[in-house]
Amino acid sequence: MIPEELRYTAEHEWVRADAADGTVRVGITHFAQDQLGDIVYVDLPEVGATLQAGQPMGEVESTKSVSELYAPVSGTVVAVNEVLSDQPETVNADPYGDGWLVQVEPADADAVAALLDAAGYRALVE
């Protein structure tokens, strides 16, 4: 359950490029949500926030633990998944779809290509 078209980080975030406007959508992987267990709270950055690749950008709280979310690329947050404030369990139910976290305008368009591909991420978690 590792979609081939996405890019990944070693911290278990995924990135989907949106070719139409150059933004990327970010979420956590199925592996990450599975390890966390039932997600009960998601703390995300504000729209307009500047992210630095590899730096914390929020938290996911589950019945087991609290885990930091790390920015996969540097850039500006252009959208936040507002559904998660009332329905954080959406991350568990659909981590690659409706459970996305933020949409980012990358500072460097080439940064996404530098992330792990599906094979690289698979090697990390399997």
Side-chain angles (χ1 to χ4, degrees):
M1 187 178 262
I2 298 175
E4 294 294 326
E5 74 277 10
L6 303 180
R7 291 294 181 155
Y8 301 89
T9 69
E11 291 78 30
H12 311 291
E13 283 84 23
W14 57 260
V15 176
R16 175 181 288 122
D18 181 355
D21 65 2
T23 63
V24 297
R25 197 163 265 196
V26 177
I28 64 170
T29 64
H30 174 76
F31 177 86
Q33 70 79 26
D34 190 52
Q35 295 297 303
L36 285 166
D38 294 335
I39 294 172
V40 296
Y41 179 73
V42 180
D43 179 36
L44 298 173
E46 302 276 327
V47 170
T50 301
L51 305 180
Q52 292 298 318
Q55 296 301 307
M57 65 171 190
E59 293 179 337
V60 175
E61 186 176 328
S62 72
T63 53
K64 292 182 184 177
S65 67
V66 175
S67 296
E68 291 210 88
L69 297 167
Y70 294 93
V73 295
S74 296
T76 304
V77 176
V78 295
V80 173
N81 189 347
E82 300 292 344
V83 169
L84 302 182
S85 61
D86 293 328
Q87 299 173 322
E89 67 278 4
T90 306
V91 175
N92 293 117
D94 191 9
Y96 297 114
D98 292 339
W100 64 277
L101 303 174
V102 295
Q103 195 158 343
V104 178
E105 185 176 316
D108 175 5
D110 296 330
V112 174
L115 299 172
L116 295 168
D117 62 11
Y121 184 69
R122 195 173 291 112
L124 184 72
V125 299
E126 291 180 350

